Amino acid sequence: VGATCVLTGTYTVTAADVAAGEIRNTAVATSPVCPVGSVDPACTTTVVTPVTELSQSLVKALTNNADGDASGTVSLGDVLTYTVTVTNTSTSGSLTNVVVSDPMITPSTITCPTVAVGATCVLTGTYTVTAADVTAGSISNTAVATSPVCPVGSTDPECTTTVVTPVTELSQ
């Protein structure tokens, strides 16, 4: 008399739950008061939990030019610093296994095991301007992020971004 029976468990949110926008979890108790199949509110209850899609933003910027020749422009031999930032813009839910990569810079990748809501995963690396960049007149530098939002190969703007940096040929 007066005792309580508690069931505690875990559930992994599925793609179908995200598509539905909610999880409907129904618990049913059976006892001498609640026979199998009873629809009495004292014997069954449903909890509806909203599920929101995960989202992120991806921003890449040229954040520094070591400007080895002090020309005030991007030119041959300058060491450029690029910063690539993934921000978890979801209203709820962490991003997991976020990988930010940019094959032109060193280091070229970072993996963030978990990125909480509002938090960031940041890759910062350097690139040295080459003669080929001077000939081309610019550097086209693309960064990619993979995460639960961005599968490998996605071309969505929240998954890939390119920064074009003009390069100046200095006269001798």
Side-chain angles (χ1 to χ4, degrees), residues 69-131:
D69 57 12
S71 67
T73 63
V74 174
S75 54
L76 181 64
D78 285 354
V79 178
L80 309 178
T81 301
Y82 288 93
T83 301
V84 186
T85 306
V86 172
T87 302
N88 182 348
T89 57
S90 308
T91 56
S92 64
S94 293
L95 298 174
T96 56
N97 298 318
V98 176
V99 179
V100 181
S101 53
D102 179 342
M104 288 187 70
I105 64 175
T106 302
S108 62
T109 190
I110 187 170
T111 300
C112 298
T114 303
V115 181
V117 172
T120 59
C121 180
V122 179
L123 170 64
T124 301
T126 58
Y127 175 78
T128 302
V129 179
T130 67

Side-chain angles (χ1 to χ4, degrees), residues 4-102:
T4 302
C5 178
V6 176
L7 172 65
T8 302
T10 59
Y11 175 79
T12 301
V13 178
T14 66
D17 298 327
V18 173
E22 66 184 16
I23 299 169
R24 298 182 75 72
N25 184 4
T26 301
V28 178
T30 56
S31 70
V33 176
C34 296
V36 173
S38 173
V39 292
D40 183 327
C43 304
T44 183
T45 185
T46 299
V47 174
V48 178
T49 305
V51 177
T52 58
E53 285 194 65
L54 295 174
S55 61
Q56 71 183 40
S57 65
L58 174 64
V59 176
K60 179 176 182 164
L62 172 61
T63 53
N64 189 45
N65 175 3
D67 201 11
D69 57 12
S71 67
T73 63
V74 174
S75 54
L76 181 64
D78 285 354
V79 178
L80 309 178
T81 301
Y82 288 93
T83 301
V84 186
T85 306
V86 172
T87 302
N88 182 348
T89 57
S90 308
T91 56
S92 64
S94 293
L95 298 174
T96 56
N97 298 318
V98 176
V99 179
V100 181
S101 53
D102 179 342

